Coordinates of all heavy atoms in Angstrom, one line a residue:
M1 N 115.9 103.6 101.4 CA 116.7 103.1 100.3 C 116.5 101.6 100.1 O 116.5 100.9 101.0 CB 118.2 103.4 100.6 CG 119.1 102.9 99.5 SD 120.8 103.4 99.8 CE 121.6 101.8 99.9
V2 N 116.3 101.2 98.8 CA 116.1 99.8 98.5 C 117.5 99.2 98.2 O 118.2 99.7 97.3 CB 115.2 99.6 97.3 CG1 115.1 98.2 96.9 CG2 113.8 100.2 97.7
D3 N 117.8 98.1 98.8 CA 119.1 97.4 98.5 C 118.9 96.7 97.2 O 118.1 95.8 97.1 CB 119.4 96.5 99.7 CG 120.7 95.7 99.5 OD1 121.3 95.8 98.4 OD2 121.0 95.0 100.4
P4 N 119.7 97.0 96.2 CA 119.6 96.3 94.9 C 119.9 94.8 94.9 O 119.6 94.1 94.0 CB 120.5 97.1 94.0 CG 121.5 97.7 94.9 CD 120.8 98.0 96.2
T5 N 120.6 94.4 96.0 CA 121.0 93.0 96.1 C 119.9 92.2 96.8 O 120.0 91.0 96.9 CB 122.3 92.8 96.8 OG1 122.2 93.3 98.1 CG2 123.4 93.5 96.0
S6 N 118.9 92.8 97.4 CA 117.9 92.2 98.2 C 116.8 91.6 97.3 O 116.4 92.2 96.3 CB 117.3 93.2 99.2 OG 116.2 92.6 99.9
D7 N 116.3 90.4 97.7 CA 115.2 89.8 97.0 C 113.9 90.2 97.7 O 112.8 89.7 97.5 CB 115.3 88.3 96.9 CG 115.3 87.6 98.3 OD1 115.4 88.3 99.3 OD2 115.3 86.4 98.3
L8 N 114.0 91.2 98.6 CA 112.8 91.7 99.4 C 112.4 93.1 98.9 O 111.8 93.8 99.7 CB 113.1 91.7 100.9 CG 113.3 90.3 101.4 CD1 113.7 90.4 102.9 CD2 112.2 89.4 101.2
G9 N 112.5 93.4 97.7 CA 112.1 94.7 97.1 C 110.6 94.8 97.1 O 109.9 94.0 97.6
E10 N 110.2 96.0 96.7 CA 108.8 96.3 96.7 C 107.9 95.4 95.8 O 106.7 95.4 96.0 CB 108.6 97.8 96.3 CG 109.2 98.7 97.4 CD 109.1 100.2 96.9 OE1 108.5 100.4 95.9 OE2 109.7 101.0 97.6
D11 N 108.6 94.8 94.8 CA 107.8 94.0 93.9 C 107.6 92.5 94.3 O 107.1 91.7 93.6 CB 108.5 94.0 92.5 CG 109.9 93.5 92.5 OD1 110.5 93.4 93.6 OD2 110.4 93.2 91.4
V12 N 108.0 92.2 95.5 CA 107.9 90.8 96.0 C 106.4 90.6 96.6 O 106.0 91.4 97.5 CB 108.9 90.5 97.1 CG1 108.7 89.1 97.7 CG2 110.3 90.6 96.6
S13 N 105.7 89.6 96.1 CA 104.4 89.4 96.6 C 104.5 88.7 98.0 O 105.5 88.0 98.3 CB 103.6 88.5 95.7 OG 104.1 87.2 95.7
E14 N 103.4 88.7 98.7 CA 103.3 88.1 100.0 C 103.5 86.5 99.9 O 104.1 85.9 100.7 CB 101.9 88.3 100.7 CG 101.9 88.0 102.1 CD 100.6 88.5 102.8 OE1 100.4 89.7 102.8 OE2 99.9 87.6 103.3
A15 N 103.1 86.0 98.8 CA 103.2 84.5 98.6 C 104.7 84.1 98.3 O 105.1 83.0 98.7 CB 102.4 84.1 97.4
D16 N 105.5 85.1 97.7 CA 106.9 84.8 97.4 C 107.8 85.2 98.5 O 109.0 84.9 98.5 CB 107.2 85.4 96.1 CG 106.5 84.8 94.9 OD1 106.2 83.6 95.0 OD2 106.3 85.5 94.0
A17 N 107.4 86.0 99.4 CA 108.2 86.6 100.5 C 108.6 85.5 101.5 O 107.8 84.6 101.8 CB 107.5 87.7 101.2
P18 N 109.8 85.7 102.1 CA 110.1 84.8 103.2 C 109.3 85.0 104.4 O 108.7 86.1 104.6 CB 111.6 85.1 103.5 CG 111.8 86.5 103.1 CD 110.8 86.7 101.9
N19 N 109.1 84.0 105.3 CA 108.3 84.2 106.5 C 109.3 84.4 107.7 O 110.4 83.8 107.7 CB 107.5 83.0 106.8 CG 106.4 82.8 105.8 OD1 105.9 83.8 105.2 ND2 105.9 81.6 105.5
C20 N 108.8 85.1 108.7 CA 109.6 85.3 109.9 C 109.8 84.0 110.6 O 108.9 83.2 110.8 CB 108.9 86.3 110.8 SG 109.7 86.6 112.4
E21 N 111.1 83.7 110.9 CA 111.4 82.5 111.6 C 110.8 82.3 112.9 O 110.5 81.2 113.4 CB 113.0 82.4 111.7 CG 113.5 81.1 112.2 CD 113.6 80.1 111.1 OE1 113.6 80.4 109.9 OE2 113.6 78.9 111.4
N22 N 110.5 83.5 113.6 CA 109.9 83.4 114.9 C 108.4 83.4 114.9 O 107.7 82.5 115.5 CB 110.4 84.6 115.7 CG 109.9 84.5 117.2 OD1 110.2 83.6 117.8 ND2 109.2 85.6 117.6
C23 N 107.7 84.4 114.2 CA 106.3 84.5 114.3 C 105.5 83.9 113.1 O 104.3 83.7 113.1 CB 105.8 85.9 114.5 SG 106.1 87.0 113.1
G24 N 106.3 83.7 112.0 CA 105.7 83.1 110.8 C 105.0 84.1 109.8 O 104.6 83.7 108.7
D25 N 105.0 85.4 110.1 CA 104.4 86.4 109.3 C 105.3 86.5 108.0 O 106.5 86.5 108.1 CB 104.2 87.7 109.9 CG 103.2 87.7 111.0 OD1 102.4 86.8 111.0 OD2 103.1 88.7 111.8
P26 N 104.6 86.7 106.8 CA 105.4 87.0 105.6 C 106.1 88.4 105.8 O 105.5 89.3 106.3 CB 104.4 87.0 104.5 CG 103.1 87.2 105.2 CD 103.2 86.7 106.6
I27 N 107.3 88.5 105.3 CA 108.1 89.8 105.4 C 108.0 90.5 104.0 O 108.7 90.1 103.1 CB 109.5 89.5 105.8 CG1 109.6 88.7 107.1 CG2 110.3 90.8 105.9 CD1 110.9 88.2 107.5
V28 N 107.1 91.5 104.0 CA 106.9 92.2 102.7 C 107.1 93.7 103.0 O 106.3 94.2 103.9 CB 105.6 91.9 102.1 CG1 105.3 92.8 100.9 CG2 105.4 90.5 101.8
G29 N 108.0 94.4 102.4 CA 108.1 95.8 102.5 C 108.3 96.4 103.9 O 107.8 97.5 104.2
T30 N 109.0 95.7 104.8 CA 109.2 96.2 106.1 C 110.6 96.7 106.3 O 111.6 96.0 106.0 CB 108.9 95.1 107.2 OG1 109.2 95.7 108.5 CG2 109.6 93.9 107.0
P31 N 110.8 97.9 106.8 CA 112.1 98.4 107.0 C 112.8 97.8 108.2 O 114.0 98.0 108.4 CB 111.9 99.9 107.3 CG 110.5 100.0 107.8 CD 109.7 98.9 107.2
N32 N 112.1 97.0 109.0 CA 112.6 96.4 110.2 C 113.1 95.0 110.0 O 113.5 94.3 110.9 CB 111.6 96.4 111.3 CG 111.2 97.8 111.7 OD1 112.0 98.7 111.7 ND2 109.9 98.0 112.0
H33 N 113.1 94.5 108.8 CA 113.5 93.2 108.4 C 115.0 92.9 108.9 O 115.8 93.7 108.7 CB 113.4 93.0 106.9 CG 113.9 91.7 106.4 ND1 114.8 91.7 105.3 CD2 113.7 90.4 106.7 CE1 115.1 90.4 105.0 NE2 114.4 89.7 105.9
R34 N 115.2 91.8 109.5 CA 116.5 91.4 109.9 C 116.8 90.0 109.4 O 115.9 89.2 109.3 CB 116.6 91.4 111.4 CG 116.3 92.7 112.1 CD 117.5 93.7 111.8 NE 117.3 94.9 112.4 CZ 116.9 96.0 111.7 NH1 116.8 96.0 110.4 NH2 116.8 97.2 112.3
V35 N 118.1 89.7 109.1 CA 118.5 88.4 108.6 C 119.6 87.9 109.5 O 120.6 88.6 109.8 CB 119.0 88.4 107.2 CG1 119.5 87.1 106.7 CG2 117.9 88.9 106.2
H36 N 119.5 86.7 110.0 CA 120.5 86.1 110.9 C 121.2 85.0 110.0 O 120.5 84.1 109.5 CB 119.9 85.4 112.1 CG 120.8 84.7 113.0 ND1 121.2 83.4 112.8 CD2 121.5 85.2 114.0 CE1 122.1 83.1 113.7 NE2 122.3 84.1 114.5
T37 N 122.5 85.2 109.8 CA 123.2 84.2 109.0 C 124.2 83.4 109.9 O 124.8 84.0 110.7 CB 124.0 85.0 107.9 OG1 123.1 85.8 107.1 CG2 124.8 84.0 107.0
S38 N 124.2 82.1 109.6 CA 125.1 81.3 110.3 C 125.6 80.2 109.4 O 125.1 80.0 108.3 CB 124.4 80.6 111.5 OG 123.3 79.8 111.1
V39 N 126.7 79.5 109.8 CA 127.2 78.4 109.0 C 127.0 77.1 109.8 O 127.4 77.0 110.9 CB 128.7 78.6 108.7 CG1 129.3 77.4 107.9 CG2 129.0 79.9 107.9
E40 N 126.2 76.2 109.1 CA 125.9 74.9 109.7 C 126.4 73.8 108.8 O 125.9 73.8 107.6 CB 124.4 74.8 110.0 CG 123.9 75.9 111.0 CD 122.4 75.9 111.1 OE1 121.8 75.0 110.7 OE2 122.0 76.9 111.7
D41 N 127.3 72.9 109.3 CA 127.8 71.8 108.4 C 128.4 72.4 107.1 O 128.1 71.8 106.0 CB 126.7 70.8 108.2 CG 126.2 70.1 109.4 OD1 127.0 69.9 110.4 OD2 125.0 69.9 109.5
G42 N 129.0 73.5 107.2 CA 129.7 74.0 106.0 C 128.8 74.8 105.0 O 129.2 75.2 103.9
T43 N 127.5 74.9 105.4 CA 126.5 75.6 104.5 C 126.0 76.9 105.2 O 125.7 76.8 106.4 CB 125.4 74.7 104.2 OG1 125.9 73.5 103.6 CG2 124.4 75.3 103.3
A44 N 125.9 78.0 104.4 CA 125.4 79.2 105.0 C 123.9 79.1 105.1 O 123.2 78.6 104.2 CB 125.7 80.4 104.1
K45 N 123.4 79.4 106.3 CA 121.9 79.4 106.6 C 121.5 80.8 106.9 O 122.1 81.5 107.6 CB 121.6 78.5 107.8 CG 122.0 77.1 107.7 CD 121.1 76.4 106.7 CE 121.5 74.9 106.7 NZ 120.7 74.1 105.8
H46 N 120.4 81.2 106.2 CA 119.8 82.6 106.4 C 118.5 82.5 107.0 O 117.6 81.8 106.4 CB 119.8 83.3 105.0 CG 121.1 83.4 104.3 ND1 122.1 84.2 104.7 CD2 121.6 82.6 103.3 CE1 123.1 84.0 103.9 NE2 122.8 83.1 103.1
R47 N 118.2 83.1 108.1 CA 116.9 83.1 108.8 C 116.4 84.5 108.8 O 117.1 85.4 109.2 CB 117.0 82.5 110.2 CG 117.4 81.0 110.1 CD 117.6 80.5 111.6 NE 117.8 79.1 111.6 CZ 119.0 78.5 111.5 NH1 120.1 79.2 111.4 NH2 119.1 77.2 111.5
H48 N 115.2 84.7 108.3 CA 114.6 86.0 108.2 C 113.7 86.3 109.4 O 113.0 85.4 109.9 CB 113.8 86.1 106.9 CG 114.6 86.0 105.7 ND1 115.1 87.0 105.0 CD2 115.0 84.9 105.0 CE1 115.8 86.6 104.0 NE2 115.8 85.3 104.0
F49 N 113.7 87.6 109.9 CA 112.9 88.0 111.0 C 112.3 89.3 110.6 O 112.9 90.2 110.0 CB 113.8 88.2 112.2 CG 114.4 86.9 112.7 CD1 115.6 86.5 112.2 CD2 113.7 86.0 113.5 CE1 116.2 85.3 112.5 CE2 114.3 84.8 113.9 CZ 115.5 84.4 113.4
C50 N 111.0 89.5 111.0 CA 110.3 90.8 110.7 C 110.7 92.0 111.5 O 110.4 93.1 111.2 CB 108.8 90.5 110.7 SG 108.2 90.0 112.3
S51 N 111.4 91.7 112.7 CA 111.8 92.8 113.5 C 112.9 92.4 114.5 O 113.2 91.2 114.6 CB 110.6 93.3 114.4 OG 110.2 92.2 115.3
D52 N 113.5 93.4 115.1 CA 114.5 93.1 116.2 C 113.9 92.3 117.3 O 114.5 91.4 117.9 CB 115.1 94.4 116.7 CG 116.0 95.0 115.8 OD1 116.7 94.3 115.0 OD2 116.1 96.3 115.8
A53 N 112.6 92.5 117.6 CA 111.9 91.8 118.7 C 111.8 90.3 118.4 O 112.0 89.5 119.3 CB 110.6 92.4 119.0
C54 N 111.4 90.0 117.2 CA 111.3 88.6 116.8 C 112.6 87.9 116.8 O 112.8 86.8 117.2 CB 110.6 88.4 115.4 SG 108.8 88.4 115.6
L55 N 113.7 88.6 116.3 CA 115.0 88.0 116.4 C 115.4 87.8 117.8 O 116.0 86.7 118.1 CB 116.0 89.0 115.7 CG 117.5 88.6 115.7 CD1 117.7 87.2 115.2 CD2 118.3 89.7 115.0
A56 N 115.2 88.7 118.7 CA 115.6 88.6 120.1 C 114.8 87.4 120.8 O 115.4 86.6 121.5 CB 115.3 89.9 120.9
E57 N 113.5 87.3 120.5 CA 112.7 86.2 121.0 C 113.3 84.8 120.5 O 113.4 83.9 121.3 CB 111.3 86.3 120.6 CG 110.5 87.2 121.4 CD 109.0 87.2 121.0 OE1 108.5 86.2 120.7 OE2 108.4 88.3 121.0
W58 N 113.6 84.7 119.2 CA 114.2 83.5 118.7 C 115.5 83.1 119.3 O 115.8 81.9 119.5 CB 114.3 83.7 117.2 CG 114.9 82.5 116.5 CD1 114.3 81.4 116.1 CD2 116.3 82.4 116.0 NE1 115.1 80.5 115.5 CE2 116.4 81.1 115.4 CE3 117.4 83.2 116.1 CZ2 117.6 80.7 114.8 CZ3 118.6 82.7 115.5 CH2 118.7 81.5 114.9
R59 N 116.3 84.1 119.6 CA 117.6 83.8 120.3 C 117.5 83.3 121.7 O 118.4 82.7 122.2 CB 118.5 85.1 120.2 CG 119.0 85.4 118.9 CD 119.9 86.6 118.9 NE 120.6 86.8 117.7 CZ 121.3 87.9 117.3 NH1 121.3 88.9 118.2 NH2 121.9 88.0 116.2
E60 N 116.4 83.6 122.4 CA 116.3 83.2 123.8 C 116.2 81.8 124.0 O 115.8 80.9 123.3 CB 115.0 83.9 124.4 CG 115.2 85.4 124.5 CD 114.0 86.1 125.1 OE1 113.0 85.4 125.4 OE2 114.1 87.3 125.3

């Protein structure tokens, strides 16, 4: 299912896609995409990860 609120739909090119915060690969059409959201200095920060493994490595 494609999330209609997501900017990572099938029509996003590799050049426009976010990169994984951990490995740097562009995140295009992957069902394993994860987003880590935090609040820093009153501003929401969104970090994209291509998989649970990259998110876990980043957290270490």
Side-chain angles (χ1 to χ4, degrees):
M1 178 174 119
V2 175
D3 180 354
T5 63
S6 175
D7 61 353
L8 297 177
E10 295 175 5
D11 60 343
V12 176
S13 71
E14 194 171 300
D16 293 331
N19 292 333
C20 177
E21 190 77 24
N22 187 57
C23 71
D25 289 347
I27 302 169
V28 178
T30 174
N32 299 324
H33 174 231
R34 299 290 179 254
V35 178
H36 179 271
T37 304
S38 61
V39 177
E40 299 173 13
D41 298 324
T43 303
K45 301 287 183 180
H46 306 282
R47 293 176 175 91
H48 296 266
F49 299 89
C50 60
S51 67
D52 286 330
C54 273
L55 174 58
E57 280 184 38
W58 178 77
R59 285 182 170 167
E60 290 179 358

